[in-house]
Amino acid sequence: MSLCSFEGESRRHYDYRALEIKNRAAVPIGGGNYVFTRRVGGVFEVICAGETDNLWGLFTSSLWHRAKLEYGATTPFVRANPDKNSRRLESEDIIRKYRPPMNEDMADTGNA
């Protein structure tokens, strides 16, 4: 399991773990935050960030599939967090800093 720290616009750091989604037991079922990335020049580029009540459900929905096919996402990172308000604030902080292209496209089409 590999850890990666993502800094928000607030300069707060959030530690996420890389997820091996082929290992069903590794995917948390509860709520949490997620960051979909791809490697560019040896660093992770944030493609999409958000929060959900069910991390497992996130990977059975079309969101991860779309991130891979349309945006080239290769590595999902997750951070378990049962507190919905805390998840929302964290997600907004990361989105403001990285301006992930998938989030911006979803906002433009009203699907955020």
mmCIF file of all heavy atoms in Angstrom, residues 1-21:
data_model
loop_
_atom_site.group_PDB
_atom_site.id
_atom_site.type_symbol
_atom_site.label_atom_id
_atom_site.label_comp_id
_atom_site.label_asym_id
_atom_site.label_seq_id
_atom_site.Cartn_x
_atom_site.Cartn_y
_atom_site.Cartn_z
ATOM 1 N N MET A 1 0.849 -1.167 0.000
ATOM 2 C CA MET A 1 0.000 0.000 0.000
ATOM 3 C C MET A 1 0.898 1.234 0.000
ATOM 4 O O MET A 1 1.801 1.372 0.799
ATOM 5 C CB MET A 1 -0.910 -0.045 1.227
ATOM 6 C CG MET A 1 -1.492 1.275 1.576
ATOM 7 S SD MET A 1 -2.602 1.284 2.994
ATOM 8 C CE MET A 1 -1.751 0.396 4.226
ATOM 9 N N SER A 2 0.635 2.120 -0.912
ATOM 10 C CA SER A 2 1.445 3.316 -1.066
ATOM 11 C C SER A 2 0.634 4.545 -0.640
ATOM 12 O O SER A 2 -0.546 4.656 -0.951
ATOM 13 C CB SER A 2 1.888 3.364 -2.529
ATOM 14 O OG SER A 2 1.910 4.623 -3.042
ATOM 15 N N LEU A 3 1.283 5.432 0.076
ATOM 16 C CA LEU A 3 0.638 6.658 0.543
ATOM 17 C C LEU A 3 1.074 7.841 -0.298
ATOM 18 O O LEU A 3 2.199 7.892 -0.781
ATOM 19 C CB LEU A 3 0.984 6.922 2.005
ATOM 20 C CG LEU A 3 0.443 5.936 3.020
ATOM 21 C CD1 LEU A 3 0.952 6.285 4.411
ATOM 22 C CD2 LEU A 3 -1.071 5.927 3.015
ATOM 23 N N CYS A 4 0.181 8.809 -0.446
ATOM 24 C CA CYS A 4 0.482 10.032 -1.167
ATOM 25 C C CYS A 4 -0.239 11.169 -0.454
ATOM 26 O O CYS A 4 -1.408 11.036 -0.079
ATOM 27 C CB CYS A 4 0.008 9.932 -2.619
ATOM 28 S SG CYS A 4 0.489 11.328 -3.650
ATOM 29 N N SER A 5 0.453 12.263 -0.266
ATOM 30 C CA SER A 5 -0.142 13.421 0.385
ATOM 31 C C SER A 5 -0.539 14.436 -0.680
ATOM 32 O O SER A 5 0.266 14.801 -1.531
ATOM 33 C CB SER A 5 0.869 14.043 1.356
ATOM 34 O OG SER A 5 0.278 15.128 2.034
ATOM 35 N N PHE A 6 -1.799 14.859 -0.633
ATOM 36 C CA PHE A 6 -2.294 15.888 -1.542
ATOM 37 C C PHE A 6 -2.531 17.147 -0.723
ATOM 38 O O PHE A 6 -3.187 17.101 0.316
ATOM 39 C CB PHE A 6 -3.590 15.438 -2.221
ATOM 40 C CG PHE A 6 -3.389 14.281 -3.155
ATOM 41 C CD1 PHE A 6 -3.589 12.985 -2.725
ATOM 42 C CD2 PHE A 6 -2.976 14.489 -4.461
ATOM 43 C CE1 PHE A 6 -3.391 11.911 -3.575
ATOM 44 C CE2 PHE A 6 -2.773 13.423 -5.329
ATOM 45 C CZ PHE A 6 -2.982 12.127 -4.877
ATOM 46 N N GLU A 7 -1.990 18.244 -1.190
ATOM 47 C CA GLU A 7 -2.139 19.520 -0.497
ATOM 48 C C GLU A 7 -3.339 20.268 -1.065
ATOM 49 O O GLU A 7 -3.508 20.363 -2.278
ATOM 50 C CB GLU A 7 -0.876 20.365 -0.689
ATOM 51 C CG GLU A 7 -0.953 21.703 0.029
ATOM 52 C CD GLU A 7 0.281 22.563 -0.210
ATOM 53 O OE1 GLU A 7 0.758 22.617 -1.364
ATOM 54 O OE2 GLU A 7 0.746 23.172 0.754
ATOM 55 N N GLY A 8 -4.172 20.808 -0.183
ATOM 56 C CA GLY A 8 -5.300 21.598 -0.613
ATOM 57 C C GLY A 8 -4.901 23.050 -0.801
ATOM 58 O O GLY A 8 -3.781 23.456 -0.485
ATOM 59 N N GLU A 9 -5.826 23.840 -1.311
ATOM 60 C CA GLU A 9 -5.582 25.269 -1.484
ATOM 61 C C GLU A 9 -5.245 25.932 -0.149
ATOM 62 O O GLU A 9 -4.463 26.875 -0.088
ATOM 63 C CB GLU A 9 -6.801 25.940 -2.111
ATOM 64 C CG GLU A 9 -6.597 27.413 -2.385
ATOM 65 C CD GLU A 9 -7.846 28.084 -2.908
ATOM 66 O OE1 GLU A 9 -8.866 28.086 -2.173
ATOM 67 O OE2 GLU A 9 -7.798 28.598 -4.030
ATOM 68 N N SER A 10 -5.795 25.396 0.929
ATOM 69 C CA SER A 10 -5.561 25.920 2.276
ATOM 70 C C SER A 10 -4.151 25.617 2.790
ATOM 71 O O SER A 10 -3.784 26.066 3.870
ATOM 72 C CB SER A 10 -6.567 25.314 3.250
ATOM 73 O OG SER A 10 -6.296 23.929 3.413
ATOM 74 N N ARG A 11 -3.404 24.818 2.030
ATOM 75 C CA ARG A 11 -2.068 24.325 2.380
ATOM 76 C C ARG A 11 -2.111 23.176 3.393
ATOM 77 O O ARG A 11 -1.082 22.745 3.874
ATOM 78 C CB ARG A 11 -1.147 25.433 2.856
ATOM 79 C CG ARG A 11 -0.880 26.439 1.776
ATOM 80 C CD ARG A 11 0.193 27.366 2.142
ATOM 81 N NE ARG A 11 0.470 28.199 0.979
ATOM 82 C CZ ARG A 11 1.585 28.822 0.809
ATOM 83 N NH1 ARG A 11 2.537 28.732 1.705
ATOM 84 N NH2 ARG A 11 1.779 29.559 -0.261
ATOM 85 N N ARG A 12 -3.290 22.727 3.695
ATOM 86 C CA ARG A 12 -3.425 21.550 4.540
ATOM 87 C C ARG A 12 -3.115 20.320 3.693
ATOM 88 O O ARG A 12 -3.463 20.253 2.517
ATOM 89 C CB ARG A 12 -4.850 21.469 5.080
ATOM 90 C CG ARG A 12 -5.033 20.299 5.991
ATOM 91 C CD ARG A 12 -6.357 20.299 6.684
ATOM 92 N NE ARG A 12 -6.420 19.085 7.501
ATOM 93 C CZ ARG A 12 -7.496 18.635 8.049
ATOM 94 N NH1 ARG A 12 -8.622 19.285 7.932
ATOM 95 N NH2 ARG A 12 -7.469 17.530 8.754
ATOM 96 N N HIS A 13 -2.468 19.334 4.310
ATOM 97 C CA HIS A 13 -2.111 18.098 3.615
ATOM 98 C C HIS A 13 -3.044 16.974 4.036
ATOM 99 O O HIS A 13 -3.374 16.831 5.215
ATOM 100 C CB HIS A 13 -0.658 17.709 3.907
ATOM 101 C CG HIS A 13 0.315 18.606 3.246
ATOM 102 N ND1 HIS A 13 0.942 18.286 2.077
ATOM 103 C CD2 HIS A 13 0.753 19.841 3.572
ATOM 104 C CE1 HIS A 13 1.729 19.268 1.711
ATOM 105 N NE2 HIS A 13 1.638 20.227 2.612
ATOM 106 N N TYR A 14 -3.452 16.179 3.057
ATOM 107 C CA TYR A 14 -4.346 15.046 3.282
ATOM 108 C C TYR A 14 -3.634 13.791 2.774
ATOM 109 O O TYR A 14 -3.213 13.749 1.618
ATOM 110 C CB TYR A 14 -5.650 15.238 2.516
ATOM 111 C CG TYR A 14 -6.341 16.551 2.808
ATOM 112 C CD1 TYR A 14 -6.168 17.642 1.960
ATOM 113 C CD2 TYR A 14 -7.144 16.708 3.930
ATOM 114 C CE1 TYR A 14 -6.805 18.851 2.214
ATOM 115 C CE2 TYR A 14 -7.784 17.914 4.191
ATOM 116 C CZ TYR A 14 -7.609 18.980 3.328
ATOM 117 O OH TYR A 14 -8.237 20.167 3.585
ATOM 118 N N ASP A 15 -3.495 12.807 3.633
ATOM 119 C CA ASP A 15 -2.815 11.567 3.266
ATOM 120 C C ASP A 15 -3.809 10.549 2.727
ATOM 121 O O ASP A 15 -4.763 10.177 3.419
ATOM 122 C CB ASP A 15 -2.074 10.978 4.460
ATOM 123 C CG ASP A 15 -0.916 11.854 4.900
ATOM 124 O OD1 ASP A 15 -0.351 12.565 4.048
ATOM 125 O OD2 ASP A 15 -0.576 11.832 6.098
ATOM 126 N N TYR A 16 -3.571 10.110 1.512
ATOM 127 C CA TYR A 16 -4.413 9.135 0.818
ATOM 128 C C TYR A 16 -3.589 7.885 0.561
ATOM 129 O O TYR A 16 -2.364 7.944 0.444
ATOM 130 C CB TYR A 16 -4.873 9.692 -0.534
ATOM 131 C CG TYR A 16 -5.984 10.699 -0.444
ATOM 132 C CD1 TYR A 16 -5.780 11.963 0.095
ATOM 133 C CD2 TYR A 16 -7.248 10.395 -0.928
ATOM 134 C CE1 TYR A 16 -6.799 12.887 0.169
ATOM 135 C CE2 TYR A 16 -8.280 11.318 -0.866
ATOM 136 C CZ TYR A 16 -8.050 12.559 -0.319
ATOM 137 O OH TYR A 16 -9.070 13.467 -0.256
ATOM 138 N N ARG A 17 -4.282 6.765 0.415
ATOM 139 C CA ARG A 17 -3.570 5.538 0.058
ATOM 140 C C ARG A 17 -3.990 5.108 -1.338
ATOM 141 O O ARG A 17 -5.160 5.229 -1.729
ATOM 142 C CB ARG A 17 -3.802 4.425 1.071
ATOM 143 C CG ARG A 17 -5.172 3.892 1.153
ATOM 144 C CD ARG A 17 -5.233 2.782 2.225
ATOM 145 N NE ARG A 17 -6.580 2.316 2.382
ATOM 146 C CZ ARG A 17 -7.058 1.201 1.833
ATOM 147 N NH1 ARG A 17 -6.287 0.442 1.093
ATOM 148 N NH2 ARG A 17 -8.299 0.842 2.030
ATOM 149 N N ALA A 18 -2.997 4.640 -2.090
ATOM 150 C CA ALA A 18 -3.267 4.111 -3.426
ATOM 151 C C ALA A 18 -4.131 2.871 -3.273
ATOM 152 O O ALA A 18 -3.940 2.073 -2.359
ATOM 153 C CB ALA A 18 -1.968 3.782 -4.142
ATOM 154 N N LEU A 19 -5.063 2.730 -4.157
ATOM 155 C CA LEU A 19 -6.012 1.630 -4.071
ATOM 156 C C LEU A 19 -5.764 0.625 -5.184
ATOM 157 O O LEU A 19 -5.678 0.998 -6.355
ATOM 158 C CB LEU A 19 -7.425 2.198 -4.187
ATOM 159 C CG LEU A 19 -8.567 1.266 -3.898
ATOM 160 C CD1 LEU A 19 -8.498 0.756 -2.466
ATOM 161 C CD2 LEU A 19 -9.874 1.985 -4.114
ATOM 162 N N GLU A 20 -5.649 -0.618 -4.811
ATOM 163 C CA GLU A 20 -5.549 -1.705 -5.780
ATOM 164 C C GLU A 20 -6.973 -2.220 -5.975
ATOM 165 O O GLU A 20 -7.457 -3.057 -5.216
ATOM 166 C CB GLU A 20 -4.632 -2.804 -5.255
ATOM 167 C CG GLU A 20 -4.578 -4.039 -6.134
ATOM 168 C CD GLU A 20 -4.229 -3.750 -7.577
ATOM 169 O OE1 GLU A 20 -3.178 -3.146 -7.834
ATOM 170 O OE2 GLU A 20 -5.042 -4.125 -8.454
ATOM 171 N N ILE A 21 -7.659 -1.664 -6.975
ATOM 172 C CA ILE A 21 -9.084 -1.975 -7.117
ATOM 173 C C ILE A 21 -9.353 -3.392 -7.612
ATOM 174 O O ILE A 21 -10.470 -3.860 -7.532
ATOM 175 C CB ILE A 21 -9.822 -0.945 -7.985
ATOM 176 C CG1 ILE A 21 -9.218 -0.871 -9.368
ATOM 177 C CG2 ILE A 21 -9.848 0.393 -7.315
ATOM 178 C CD1 ILE A 21 -10.007 -0.005 -10.308
#
